[in-house]
Amino acid sequence: MELPKRYNHDKVEDRIYDFWEENGYFHAEVDPDKPRFSMAIPPPNVTSELHVGHALQFTLHDIVIRYQRMNGKEACWFPGMDHAGIATQNVVEKQLAKEGLTRHDLGREKFVERVWEWKDEYGGKIKEQLKALGSSPDWSRERFTLDEGLSDAVTEAFVRLYEEGYIYQDEYIINWCPRCSTALSDIEVEHEEEQGKLYWIKYEILDSDEFLSVATTRPETMLGDTGLAIHPDDDRAEKLVGKTAILPLVGREIPIVADDVVDPEFGTGIVKVTPAHDPTDFGIGKTHGLEAISVIDKDAEIDFDGKYDGMDRYEARDEIVNDLDEEGYLLEVEDYEHSVGHCQRCNTVIEPNVSEQWFVKMDDLAKPAIEAVRGNEVELIPERWKKVYFEWMKNIQDWCISRQLWWGHRIPAWHCENCGEVIVSRDKPEECPKCGGTDLLQEEDVLDTWFSSALWPFSVMGWPEKTEELEYFFPTDLLITGFDIIFFWVARMIMTSLHFTGEVPFDQVLLTPLILDEDGEKMSSSKGNILDPLELKKEYGADAVRFAMASSTTKGRGMKLSVREIEDKRNFLNKLWNAARFAIPHIEDAPDSLPHSTDLELEDKWILSRFEQTLSSVKENVESYSFKAATNEIYDFVWHDFCDWYLELIKSRLYSEEESEAASAVLRHVLRGTLEVLHPFIPFITEEIWDKLPHTSTPLIISDSPESDDGLIDGAAEGKMADVQEVINAVRSVRAGMNVPSGKEISVLVETQDATLTDLIGEKEIYFDELADVEKITASSDLERPANSARRVLEQAEVIVPLQGVIDFEEEKERIEKELAEVEEDLENTLKKLDNEDFLTKAPDEVVKKEKEKKQEFLARIDRLELNLNALEGN
């Protein structure tokens, strides 16, 4: 079957994907007699749309699952989505706001119904976007973190942890988001350096004329001050500790205490203590029995009798500073840069607040998870992330798991209205076990979204039930995710899995890098450098985007991705398509098996050997998740070895009845094998070409990867071809450098002491004719060099190309001299930049690097031009 002249991804991708999906090729069965491979998708938020980070992770997942599927494994990729508590609730609340409503107008039940309606209508768009990229998870096993089965798993996990003493309620200082109206765990708070003010306030000492100067960035919280603190090693501590200070504007008497957590370098070394609105102060308050007085409410407004009551926190700050100044308590104000915590979801400045919340004790859960990584039961790739993981795990804080939301897993706890007893239960209790009362109200809070996500690898397989999927596919083999959620998600999955199943959730974790633009800059809307994978897919096709993603990924912290890289991979697809289009008619009658080696020409032995070497290298790199190396290997093989060399070398044989059989058999073998190797990376185009190959009945997606055959590796053939290629490249270099017209035949002399090379050139004279337009080539150990010849010195030979009668010498000299002057001017400009200290110190590293690369490029071009000029001048 003939391929169309051009590959049109728009006409291929949807049709191919529907074909795969309709025939169930993504589905995996439980088969104890077959080796398996499993992964669970990092569940994207139901509100998400595909961005480059998703595209990278899901591309790598799909490469791996297709590779394992083709290598005889029962390969299952478990898909699903996360309910994304805060994000989803925010989306629906914004919709309600446009209607002039709030969630409170609807009430909890109706609001949750509204969110489900939104989820069913708009949520999950990312699923279709995943399909557009060619992702091949087992969609029949798709899960949602709020579906019935996973909700049962969440309830079971919560109740067990509560019964085992890990979950508790306590008054504790938490991170509160006034915009999202919920508590946040520490790792949901992002700290940003901001320019603020440092206010120096006078605190008078009771029954004394003395006063203390105290610095703060948040004077509005002073209304809740219940103490001052100094470091015990401070020379003033002995004199001050035990005395009482007077709180300005309020008149409250507050004690002065000594505590090791005080930073002697901050301000004057004496700090105000506001236990209800600062985590450090909360600890000091606990240690010294200081009252926690909350003066800022959940809407970030002042809750304190008097003139400031009801003010926004920042409005109150201005009023309090003004009053302090008027009453003589404001000593000094200075500019001050400090770190301010923001809500990860909405970027609102968080407000530390004391509140009753639900927590998980983490210390005992963390210990086995630390050992699992230390003992390589879970392998972190790259390994350097181990250090980061250990540091966080060893300093882990109890996890605040309650959120003041309506969308999510409602905490399975009930409060007895009669006696205040809290009952945690899998099902709603009929009565209070303490007093027998039946007036029971369920806890209003829901669980942190990450609580359900922490159970993901085993809950998607049916835990807590003992399912056949859990027995066969768990633990999973690999998790691919971003390094930014190693604490949010990876660590918590390891902890919960070890606790509930006794096994690690996955054997390996591949942590993907941050995607940067081609200049190494972080992508952001403000810079205008964000790449939209869906727009790129529309323009270049999913395969080009996938191949570029894989070829750009690294095991570092960052990877560069550019449109130029995607365009290059699109060009590669066209190259592959054209090669297949040329080859298919010539392999219609090709034999299934390879001819005996005695019937093979040098180019046949060489391409078979190169294919085997490439196959081995690609397999090794995919299995070690070195995707960049794997794609580079197969790219170079297809573009250069197969297309540029082998196809060109065998064209005359394919059109000859006497010589076509061996060439067509090798061509069939290499083309089929190449498509099989490429399929995990570029599945659409390879499946489309495969479908047009003669004698293929099994779709490529479920075909087997080619078996390695070391017997086809032929070092001697590769060595000979390398020698021939070196000579041909030298001739091509002369033709290009001297502007020899395309198609004009030339004579070539090769002076060499290597008798084997001499014989090889004599035997393969046709190579030089077909690939370099060489009419006659002579190789010898003793040749006279004609005047006006260009030469190229090789390792074992010197290539001489007589130019008399081939080009116009004067015209060519003028062209080269002009080009040489332009390059020398470019070099001079680059050297000026590199000699400029301001440029070297102030320009981005990538810009400096590019200039250094340009310098080397210009120097090399100058060398080539001078060499060509010397040849024309008879030197």
Side-chain angles (χ1 to χ4, degrees), residues 17 39 112 195 293 322 450 478 510 687 719 756 773 814 869:
Y17 196 92
M39 300 185 296
V112 171
Q195 193 65 41
I293 300 174
N322 185 61
W450 292 104
L478 175 67
L510 176 64
E687 188 75 78
T756 303
D773 289 324
E814 186 179 336
L869 196 59

Side-chain angles (χ1 to χ4, degrees), residues 723-724 726-728 730-731 747-754 757-758 761-762 768 774 776-784 792 794 796-802:
D723 290 341
V724 170
E726 187 181 29
V727 176
I728 290 174
V731 175
S747 295
V748 173
L749 306 174
V750 180
E751 186 168 17
T752 178
Q753 303 299 315
D754 187 337
L757 179 59
T758 301
I761 291 172
F768 300 90
V774 175
K776 182 181 180 183
I777 184 165
T778 303
S780 173
S781 60
D782 185 20
L783 289 172
E784 184 176 338
R792 295 291 184 268
L794 311 180
Q796 302 292 336
E798 183 176 358
V799 175
I800 302 163
V801 181

Side-chain angles (χ1 to χ4, degrees), residues 62 77 108 179 219 231 268 278 302-303 465 477 491 510 556-557 581 634 641 688 715 738 773 825 849 863:
D62 198 56
W77 181 12
R108 184 172 194 141
R179 162 65 185 79
H231 195 281
T268 61
D278 183 275
I302 300 300
D303 180 14
E465 301 301 320
D477 293 87
L510 176 64
R557 287 185 67 95
R581 188 167 177 270
I634 192 64
D641 295 342
E688 181 72 355
M738 292 299 187
D773 289 324
E825 184 179 346
K849 182 183 176 185
D863 284 346

Side-chain angles (χ1 to χ4, degrees), residues 182-199:
T182 188
L184 305 173
S185 67
D186 289 343
I187 54 177
E188 290 173 297
V189 176
E190 293 184 344
H191 289 85
E192 300 172 12
E193 290 298 318
E194 292 188 358
Q195 193 65 41
K197 301 288 185 183
L198 191 61
Y199 304 89

Side-chain angles (χ1 to χ4, degrees), residues 199-202 219-220 222-223 247-250 302 304-309 311 314-331 333:
Y199 304 89
W200 303 73
I201 302 170
K202 179 168 75 174
E220 67 275 16
M222 66 178 290
L223 302 175
L247 179 61
L249 304 183
V250 178
I302 300 300
F304 187 79
D305 287 343
K307 66 178 289 188
Y308 313 113
D309 191 47
M311 287 184 181
Y314 299 121
E315 180 189 358
R317 176 183 298 178
D318 293 341
E319 284 294 319
I320 288 170
V321 168
N322 185 61
D323 290 347
L324 287 169
D325 190 27
E326 285 187 358
E327 296 190 27
Y329 293 114
L330 187 64
L331 301 174
V333 181

Side-chain angles (χ1 to χ4, degrees), residues 245-307:
I246 306 297
L247 179 61
L249 304 183
V250 178
R252 183 185 304 135
E253 296 182 4
I254 55 176
I256 302 172
V257 300
D259 201 290
D260 290 329
V261 302
V262 174
D263 179 5
E265 301 301 316
F266 179 75
T268 61
I270 300 170
V271 297
K272 60 195 258 341
V273 182
T274 318
H277 296 289
D278 183 275
T280 302
D281 293 2
F282 182 80
I284 295 174
K286 284 282 189 184
T287 302
H288 300 280
L290 304 179
E291 185 181 0
I293 300 174
S294 179
V295 295
I296 301 177
D297 68 16
K298 292 184 177 181
D299 296 319
E301 295 178 348
I302 300 300
D303 180 14
F304 187 79
D305 287 343
K307 66 178 289 188

Side-chain angles (χ1 to χ4, degrees), residues 99-299:
E99 301 169 23
L101 298 171
T102 70
R103 60 177 162 136
H104 299 287
D105 294 326
L106 269 65
R108 184 172 194 141
E109 186 177 340
K110 291 293 183 184
F111 176 77
V112 171
E113 285 178 12
R114 181 72 177 261
V115 182
W116 275 106
E117 288 172 9
W118 178 90
K119 182 261 180 190
D120 292 338
E121 186 171 356
Y122 300 106
K125 185 186 293 186
I126 195 167
K127 176 181 176 179
E128 297 308 312
Q129 295 169 343
L130 281 172
K131 291 182 176 183
L133 270 186
S135 300
S136 61
D138 185 347
W139 292 113
S140 69
R141 300 182 185 278
E142 184 181 4
R143 304 303 299 268
F144 179 55
T145 49
L146 271 179
D147 70 28
E148 185 178 354
L150 268 67
S151 294
D152 289 345
V154 168
T155 298
E156 180 65 25
F158 185 94
V159 173
R160 283 198 204 176
L161 289 171
Y162 181 82
E163 291 174 347
E164 294 164 352
Y166 288 101
I167 287 180
Y168 65 95
Q169 268 189 298
D170 195 10
E171 287 275 338
Y172 200 79
I173 192 153
I174 46 92
N175 306 298
W176 181 263
C177 174
R179 162 65 185 79
C180 298
S181 296
T182 188
L184 305 173
S185 67
D186 289 343
I187 54 177
E188 290 173 297
V189 176
E190 293 184 344
H191 289 85
E192 300 172 12
E193 290 298 318
E194 292 188 358
Q195 193 65 41
K197 301 288 185 183
L198 191 61
Y199 304 89
W200 303 73
I201 302 170
K202 179 168 75 174
Y203 283 67
E204 295 174 344
I205 297 177
L206 184 66
D207 299 330
S208 167
D209 294 333
E210 297 179 83
F211 67 88
L212 299 173
S213 178
V214 177
T216 181
T217 59
R218 303 195 64 204
E220 67 275 16
T221 65
M222 66 178 290
L223 302 175
D225 286 1
T226 55
L228 297 180
I230 187 171
H231 195 281
D233 294 337
D234 190 308
D235 291 341
R236 298 167 294 174
E238 187 175 351
K239 175 184 175 184
L240 291 174
V241 173
K243 289 188 176 182
T244 299
I246 306 297
L247 179 61
L249 304 183
V250 178
R252 183 185 304 135
E253 296 182 4
I254 55 176
I256 302 172
V257 300
D259 201 290
D260 290 329
V261 302
V262 174
D263 179 5
E265 301 301 316
F266 179 75
T268 61
I270 300 170
V271 297
K272 60 195 258 341
V273 182
T274 318
H277 296 289
D278 183 275
T280 302
D281 293 2
F282 182 80
I284 295 174
K286 284 282 189 184
T287 302
H288 300 280
L290 304 179
E291 185 181 0
I293 300 174
S294 179
V295 295
I296 301 177
D297 68 16
K298 292 184 177 181
D299 296 319

Side-chain angles (χ1 to χ4, degrees), residues 677-698:
V677 174
L678 278 169
H679 179 73
F681 302 95
I682 48 174
F684 291 110
I685 192 171
T686 51
E687 188 75 78
E688 181 72 355
I689 294 171
W690 182 268
D691 183 57
K692 305 299 187 291
L693 294 185
H695 317 301
T696 53
S697 56
T698 304

